[in-house]
């Protein structure tokens, strides 16, 4: 009987546990370690500050569903992964041994890389549901004293869609409250152009997103390096195509949310062992989601090392999105099952990207197969239906987690759901 430990219980870790249990069968133990008792549906965090969702609505208690599925749950933070001795060290000084380890710990949010960035500084965050809960208070304060809003993603970020979403959601909320005229809005991004998204664009995302920003009178600065943030003021340097300083901007704000760069979590960094993670603490994997140096370690989700899709004047990372993460999960689960059966891994993740960027009352959808160019399929579209599809996405993905459904969600349900909503013309 093998011990398969899954570290992290987010969008990657929980489906990994379900699919692993299903694939490995009753003869092997599946154990999940997470620092929180609840699953968090991260994609809906941008709806929390304007109170379109309560933080509690995005959380699911994991212990009952894991119990029902026969999955052991250890609710403790990992302090160090020890790949040499096949152990994960925990915050209480104990250690969990494994035969196979799947690392699914998501990102460490590197707010420390820009002075004044993040909830301990002067900008809000929607990267974690607890940050979004704090941002509700910032938003309440803003509503008492509306003024300029600055939203975006700093240099080195590898997640851009939620920045556009948050901007557009606030824009829709301000229109609803009939105070949009009091609020100048600016989008600040390290991307070389609007709609690059860390993917070199997908279909006409450049045209669609630029047009949406123009249509809503939102200014933007691309190739933007955020130098520092002080109370109510962001200092930005716009660089040229060579990455050289071109123009300085001082942007006053009454509310700001900027996505940070990501690194791997602390338990993966400074472990004193070569070959598991890269310089930023992301787990290095081969085409089978398996680490080359420690072949009993697999990894899925945002914590996986993926190089940027192309050189850009400022560092712009490649996003790891839900569809892509699901394909990593399926490949890892089947490869571990094969190894348990004495076979070599053969399953490869497709790394396709499907994203619904909600604009509050409309949105932009895009599909990139595979996520990293050159691609076989690139498609993007706009409409009210995207907003409704995003609500459906939340509802059905949370149902999968709550009910312990092991079937892949995107391949089986999401594409169908999008098609139906679109056909209904919403
Ligand atoms: C605001 C936002 C919106 C997004 N929206 C979308 C979207 O609409 N569509 C899309 O496809 N993608 C979206 N993404 C991208 C991606 O799907 C999410 O980031 C997703 O949450 C990544 O899943 P993950 O499992 O890799 O990481 P996470 O979901 O962050 O899960 C990581 C897990 O590891 C746990 N963990 C961390 N450290 C430790 C430790 N030391 N010990 C134990 N456990 C630990 C965490 O508590 C968590 O349970 C969005 C990302 C963000 C930030």
């Amino acid at each position: 009987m093998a011990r398969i430990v899954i570290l992290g219980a987010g969008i990657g870790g929980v489906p990994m546990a379900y699919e692993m249990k299903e694939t490995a069968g009753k003869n092997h133990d599946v154990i999940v370690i997470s620092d929180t008792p609840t699953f968090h549906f991260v994609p809906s965090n941008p709806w929390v500050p304007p109170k379109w969702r309560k933080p509690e609505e995005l959380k699911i208690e994991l212990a009952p569903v894991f119990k029902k599925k026969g999955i052991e749950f250890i609710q403790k933070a990992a302090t160090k992964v020890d790949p040499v001795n096949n152990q994960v060290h925990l915050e209480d000084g104990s250690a969990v041994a494994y035969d196979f380890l799947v690392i699914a710990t998501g990102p460490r949010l590197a707010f420390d890389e820009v002075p004044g960035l993040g909830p301990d500084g002067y900008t809000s965050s929607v990267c974690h549901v607890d940050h979004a809960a704090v941002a509700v208070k910032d938003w309440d304060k803003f509503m008492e004293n509306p003024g300029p809003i600055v939203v975006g993603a700093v240099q080195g970020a590898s997640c851009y869609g939620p920045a556009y979403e948050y901007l557009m959601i606030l824009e829709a909320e301000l229109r609803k409250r009939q105070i949009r005229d009091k609020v100048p809005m600016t989008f600040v991004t390290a991307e070389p152009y609007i709609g690059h998204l860390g993917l070199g664009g997908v279909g006409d995302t450049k045209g669609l997103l630029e047009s949406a920003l123009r249509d809503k009178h939102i200014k933007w600065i691309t190739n933007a390096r955020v130098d520092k943030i002080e109370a109510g003021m962001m200092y930005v340097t716009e660089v040229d195509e060579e990455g050289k300083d071109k123009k300085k901007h001082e942007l006053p704000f009454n509310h700001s949310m900027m996505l940070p760069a990501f690194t791997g979590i602390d338990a993966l960094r400074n472990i004193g062992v070569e070959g598991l993670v890269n310089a930023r603490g992301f787990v290095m994997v081969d085409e089978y989601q398996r680490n080359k140096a420690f072949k009993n370690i697999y990894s899925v989700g945002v914590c996986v090392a993926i190089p940027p899709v192309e050189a850009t004047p400022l560092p712009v990372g490649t996003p790891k999105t839900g569809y892509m993460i699901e394909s990593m999960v399926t490949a890892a689960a089947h490869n571990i099952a094969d190894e348990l059966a004495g076979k070599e891994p053969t399953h490869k993740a497709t790394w396709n990207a499907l994203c619904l960027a909600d604009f509050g009352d409309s949105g932009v959808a895009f599909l990139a197969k595979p996520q990293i160019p050159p691609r076989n399929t690139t498609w993007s579209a706009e409409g009210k239906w995207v907003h409704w599809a995003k609500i459906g996405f939340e509802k059905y993905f949370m149902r999968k987690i709550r009910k312990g459904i092991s079937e892949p969600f995107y391949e089986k349900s999401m594409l169908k759901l999008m098609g139906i909503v679109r056909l209904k013309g919403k």
Side-chain angles (χ1 to χ4, degrees), residues 103-114:
I103 302 173
T105 42
R108 181 187 79 91
L109 308 169
F111 293 119
D112 52 315
E113 292 178 358
V114 178

Side-chain angles (χ1 to χ4, degrees), residues 18-38:
Y18 296 163
E19 212 165 329
M20 193 70 251
K21 191 69 194 167
E22 181 82 13
T23 326
K26 288 204 172 90
N27 295 333
H28 303 288
D29 289 335
V30 175
I31 300 141
V32 175
I33 303 172
S34 176
D35 57 354
T36 60
T38 45

Side-chain angles (χ1 to χ4, degrees), residues 7-13 33-36 38 40 42-43 45-46 76-79 104-107 126-127 159 162 165 259 262 265 267 300-303 320-323 325 354-356 390 393 410:
L7 183 57
I11 299 266
I33 303 172
S34 176
D35 57 354
T36 60
T38 45
H40 304 153
V42 175
N45 289 350
K76 281 175 193 151
T79 50
T105 42
V126 291
C127 286
C159 188
E165 279 197 309
L259 290 171
F262 294 164
I265 62 158
V300 301
V302 169
C303 57
K320 293 137 206 174
T321 52
Y323 193 13
I325 295 171
L354 168 67
C355 276
L356 302 174
K390 187 99 192 186
F393 166 46
Y410 280 86

Side-chain angles (χ1 to χ4, degrees), residues 109-184:
L109 308 169
F111 293 119
D112 52 315
E113 292 178 358
V114 178
L117 181 67
D120 292 334
Y122 304 104
T123 57
S124 295
S125 165
V126 291
C127 286
H128 193 283
V129 68
D130 295 344
H131 294 164
V134 173
V136 176
K137 293 178 199 145
D138 298 339
W139 183 247
D140 282 345
K141 238 188 272 167
F142 172 84
M143 290 311 293
E144 287 165 18
N145 180 27
I149 285 181
V150 178
V151 168
V154 308
Q155 57 277 14
S158 51
C159 188
Y160 294 89
Y164 288 98
E165 279 197 309
Y166 188 63
L167 176 83
M168 293 304 208
I169 288 164
L170 295 189
E171 201 276 338
E173 175 70 12
L174 292 169
R175 265 187 292 116
K176 207 159 73 186
R177 290 173 181 250
Q178 290 289 293
I179 56 166
R180 177 67 182 87
D181 59 320
K182 294 188 172 56
V183 182

Side-chain angles (χ1 to χ4, degrees), residues 193-340:
Y193 52 85
I194 290 298
H196 180 281
L197 301 168
L199 293 167
V202 181
D204 190 28
T205 47
K206 181 176 190 286
L208 287 172
L209 288 166
E210 274 188 2
S211 157
L213 295 189
R214 263 193 299 270
D215 189 49
K216 297 186 187 309
H217 304 280
I218 297 170
K219 292 190 175 139
W220 68 77
I221 306 171
T222 51
N223 284 325
R225 185 182 70 230
V226 179
D227 296 323
K228 64 173 180 179
I229 299 157
E230 294 173 350
M233 184 68 82
M234 191 176 299
Y235 297 86
V236 173
T237 303
E238 190 181 343
V239 302
D240 66 15
E241 282 171 7
E242 251 78 69
K244 294 200 185 90
D245 292 5
K246 186 169 132 189
K247 193 174 172 190
K248 300 273 178 196
H249 300 264
E250 290 186 6
L251 305 172
F253 63 83
N254 286 20
H255 179 75
S256 174
M257 193 291 298
M258 297 293 292
L259 290 171
F262 294 164
T263 71
I265 62 158
D266 288 341
L268 292 169
R269 301 197 305 161
N270 311 317
I271 54 172
V273 176
E274 293 284 306
L276 181 63
V277 295
N278 69 11
R280 298 279 292 171
F282 291 108
V283 184
M284 294 184 286
V285 295
D286 62 13
E287 56 197 331
Y288 308 113
Q289 299 306 127
R290 182 170 74 162
N291 180 253
K292 279 189 180 153
F294 301 96
K295 294 201 163 172
N296 60 341
I297 299 186
Y298 284 74
S299 187
V300 301
V302 169
C303 57
V304 168
I306 299 183
V309 298
E310 59 187 2
T312 44
L314 289 170
V316 172
T318 307
K320 293 137 206 174
T321 52
Y323 193 13
M324 183 189 197
I325 295 171
E326 175 177 281
S327 77
M328 295 181 187
V329 164
T330 300
H334 285 84
N335 286 331
I336 293 172
D338 281 352
E339 287 209 61
L340 290 169

